[in-house]
């Protein structure tokens, strides 16, 4: 592979533009560099960040290749600035065994646009009854286990899963939703749901599981990761648990950083998601919790759905929204433009912390000589208009349709190879 020079870039948005030379997949020099045979990408003063890592992506393969495949989802990830994604286990068949996780990883490598790490299910068939073979999957390379889409609600199963995760040095990522409290739930339980006549999804259904799991994790001496935090109370619980030394990490989605349940007034199911969009007060708390590190990172919960599963009445629609190609822009809009995070902070929540939580050694690394060249180049000043139909994903269910957003991914580099450039997948 030819050496690569990123010309006129600003690592972490700091200092004057400089050049970065990449050779053999590694950052070889930073400063005034020269290499005659190198491919040159003109940075134009753009911000250089470590490649983004998404702990929560639904790639839908195997089983729902009509909505996304590992190939199309990998392309969406590369275009969104990601160099690694974790593919959730709620596929068909479920990734609750070595065969499926090995297939997902192999297919990801074949596509080669982003590192695809399969998430293993915690329980067989995501049914919450019997633990899946965590040890076998861990041996096959699985670092993160989750029943996402479903909560591991039985406290004894969760306790055992946490105990195994400690022994295997992996992490359990919990979709925190007490199912008895969300039977038939369609929207955040509050004024808006009452007004619209939609059955409520109470904040306490999330908070009670997070509190319980923090206690269980502490008891087991294990690490816990909380998926898609959506409420003020969950942020409070996390703050409390971290203050007393519990090994808990948490993610927030871009949509929960921007959108509120006021969007539901149109009954457009594009806004239906689990956990549901909450209130403006929750959004404010989530932004601050992310800035402070009470919530560790941003994860997309990229959830492609077929037209027939979204273009239907609210109660019949599936929950979920696309996220990979809009995440950076939503973070710029909600966290950078508000002054809550600088670019070092963006690197932390989009790359360094998620890589650390999942134990990836070669992602989320500092931009320094000798480090693997997994990088994202962002134009912070450019804006663009969201068009779901133009996404690399097969599905188009974005709640941000038509919005003009700040922050454009100029290029993505995976181990020294350009995967996306100027909004296109690189040849
Ligand atoms: O909105 C959601 N969609 N939340 C989940 O937990 C699962 C996901 C999906 O798979 O569509
Ligand atoms: Zn979930």
């Amino acid at each position: 592979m030819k050496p690569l020079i990123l010309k006129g870039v600003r690592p972490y948005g700091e200092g004057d533009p400089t050049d970065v030379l990449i050779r053999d997949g590694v950052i070889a020099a930073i400063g005034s560099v020269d290499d005659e045979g190198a491919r040159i990408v003109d940075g134009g003063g753009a911000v250089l960040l470590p490649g983004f890592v998404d702990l929560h992506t639904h790639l839908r393969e195997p089983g729902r290749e009509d909505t996304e495949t590992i190939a199309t989802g990998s392309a969406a990830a590369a275009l969104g600035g990601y160099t690694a994604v974790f593919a959730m286990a709620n596929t068909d068949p479920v990734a609750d065994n070595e065969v499926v996780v090995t297939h997902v990883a192999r297919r990801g490598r074949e596509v080669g646009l982003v590192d695809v790490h399969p998430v293993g299910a915690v329980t067989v068939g995501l049914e919450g009854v019997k633990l899946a073979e965590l040890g076998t999957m861990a041996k096959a390379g699985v670092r993160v286990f989750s029943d996402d889409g479903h909560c591991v609600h039985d406290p004894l199963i969760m306790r055992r899963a946490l105990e195994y995760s400690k022994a295997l040095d992996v992490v359990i990522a919990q979709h925190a939703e007490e199912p008895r409290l969300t039977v038939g739930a369609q929207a955040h339980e509050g004024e808006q749901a009452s007004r619209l006549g939609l059955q409520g999804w109470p904040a306490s259904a999330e908070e009670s599981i997070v509190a319980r799991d923090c206690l269980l994790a502490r008891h087991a001496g294990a690490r816990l990761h909380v998926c898609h935090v959506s409420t003020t109370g969950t942020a409070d619980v996390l703050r409390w648990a971290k203050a007393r030394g519990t090994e808990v990490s948490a993610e927030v989605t871009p949509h929960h950083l921007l959108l509120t349940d006021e969007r539901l007034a149109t009954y457009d199911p594009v806004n239906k998601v689990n956990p549901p969009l909450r209130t403006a007060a929750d959004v404010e708390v989530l932004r601050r919790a992310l800035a402070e590190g009470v919530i560790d990172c941003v994860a997309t919960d990229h959830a492609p759905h077929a037209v027939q599963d979204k273009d239907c009445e609210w109660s019949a629609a599936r929950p979920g929204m696309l996220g990979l190609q809009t995440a950076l822009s939503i973070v710029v809009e909600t966290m950078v433009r508000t002054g809550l995070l600088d670019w070092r902070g963006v690197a932390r929540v989009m790359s360094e912390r998620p890589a650390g939580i999942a134990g990836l050694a070669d992602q989320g690394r500092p931009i320094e000589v000798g480090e693997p060249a997994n990088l994202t180049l962002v134009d912070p000043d450019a804006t663009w208009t969201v068009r779901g139909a133009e996404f690399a994903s097969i599905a188009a269910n974005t709640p941000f349709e038509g919005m003009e957003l700040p922050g454009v991914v100029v290029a993505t580099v995976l181990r020294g190879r350009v995967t996306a450039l100027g909004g296109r997948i690189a040849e």
Side-chain angles (χ1 to χ4, degrees):
M1 189 172 42
K2 253 191 184 183
L4 172 69
I5 295 176
L6 305 175
K7 249 196 156 19
V9 298
R10 298 170 61 235
Y12 306 102
E14 295 165 1
D16 293 330
T18 187
D19 303 341
V20 175
L21 171 66
I22 295 157
R23 208 184 279 131
D24 300 325
V26 173
I27 299 176
I30 302 176
S32 155
V33 302
D34 205 8
D35 191 315
E36 294 224 330
R39 172 177 183 186
I40 295 192
V41 168
D42 200 349
V47 176
L48 188 65
L49 298 173
F52 304 150
V53 176
D54 191 12
L55 289 177
H56 196 143
T57 313
H58 296 275
L59 291 181
R60 302 296 190 221
E61 181 179 346
R64 285 308 299 266
E65 292 87 346
D66 58 319
T67 64
E68 192 79 292
T69 65
I70 291 168
T72 60
S74 294
L79 291 166
Y82 287 89
T83 48
V85 299
F86 284 76
M88 274 300 169
N90 64 339
T91 48
D92 184 10
V94 171
D96 61 3
N97 61 77
E98 192 188 356
V99 174
V100 178
V101 298
T102 306
H103 165 79
V104 170
R106 188 192 318 118
R107 186 70 196 119
R109 275 195 301 277
E110 280 167 15
V111 173
L113 289 173
V114 62
D115 289 347
V116 175
H117 297 280
V119 173
V122 176
T123 68
V124 174
L126 309 172
E127 286 169 356
V129 177
K130 188 167 176 275
L131 275 185
E133 292 199 3
L134 308 188
T136 315
M137 288 189 276
K139 208 175 257 176
V142 175
R143 315 302 318 152
V144 179
F145 290 88
S146 181
D147 273 3
D148 182 63
H150 302 268
C151 181
V152 181
H153 62 89
D154 180 327
L156 183 58
I157 299 268
M158 188 59 180
R159 176 186 174 179
R160 294 280 179 255
L162 287 164
E163 287 167 351
Y164 277 109
S165 75
K166 180 178 163 65
L168 298 168
D169 193 23
V170 297
V171 64
I172 306 287
Q174 174 72 294
H175 168 117
E177 174 185 357
E178 169 46 57
R180 294 277 289 152
L181 293 174
T182 58
V183 174
Q186 294 290 330
H188 169 62
E189 184 176 297
E191 276 175 39
Q192 181 70 335
S194 308
R195 203 165 19 240
L196 300 174
L198 296 172
Q199 172 102 8
W201 197 130
S204 55
E206 176 173 306
E207 294 152 3
S208 57
I209 291 290
V210 176
R212 180 201 78 175
D213 287 356
C214 285
L215 295 169
L216 289 175
R218 190 177 165 86
H219 185 69
R223 286 193 298 141
L224 167 72
H225 181 71
V226 180
C227 294
H228 41 51
V229 172
S230 70
T231 79
T232 301
T234 299
D236 288 342
V237 171
L238 290 169
R239 197 185 302 274
W240 164 79
K242 287 186 171 195
R244 67 200 291 265
T246 308
E247 281 193 82
V248 58
S249 58
E251 66 188 39
V252 62
T253 70
H255 46 272
H256 288 109
L257 288 173
L258 182 66
L259 307 177
T260 71
D261 63 350
E262 286 180 22
R263 300 262 310 199
L264 275 51
T266 59
Y267 288 99
D268 183 344
V270 79
N271 297 307
K272 183 169 173 178
V273 66
N274 184 4
L277 300 179
R278 306 283 185 185
T279 67
D282 291 308
V283 166
E284 192 54 38
V285 166
L286 295 176
R287 290 181 185 185
R288 290 188 184 280
L290 180 63
E292 287 172 30
V294 170
I295 294 174
D296 299 75
C297 65
V298 172
T300 65
D301 198 3
H302 178 83
H305 284 298
V307 173
Q308 67 270 22
D309 291 324
K310 277 300 202 181
D311 220 352
C312 55
E313 70 169 282
W314 182 277
S315 61
R318 296 200 184 198
M321 23 184 83
L322 298 185
L324 286 169
Q325 287 187 246
T326 42
L328 182 267
S329 291
I330 303 297
V331 168
V332 173
E333 172 81 14
T334 60
M335 301 299 295
V336 180
R337 294 223 159 163
T338 53
L340 288 167
L341 283 183
D342 59 12
W343 291 104
R344 288 258 172 199
V346 174
R348 173 167 56 84
V349 303
M350 299 287 283
S351 178
E352 294 160 8
R353 284 299 293 139
I357 290 163
L360 299 183
D362 59 343
Q363 298 278 349
R365 300 292 306 164
I367 302 173
E368 285 170 12
V369 171
E371 293 288 353
N374 295 314
L375 299 164
T376 300
L377 192 56
V378 174
D379 184 339
D381 302 317
T383 61
W384 62 293
T385 302
V386 179
R387 300 273 176 242
E390 292 168 11
F391 284 163
S393 290
I394 297 169
N397 52 300
T398 172
F400 309 114
E401 181 73 28
M403 281 190 194
E404 191 180 327
L405 295 175
V408 168
V409 174
V410 177
T412 310
V413 176
L414 177 66
R415 282 183 286 283
R417 194 164 61 82
V418 179
T419 53
L421 183 63
R424 286 173 186 277
I425 291 300
E427 294 301 314

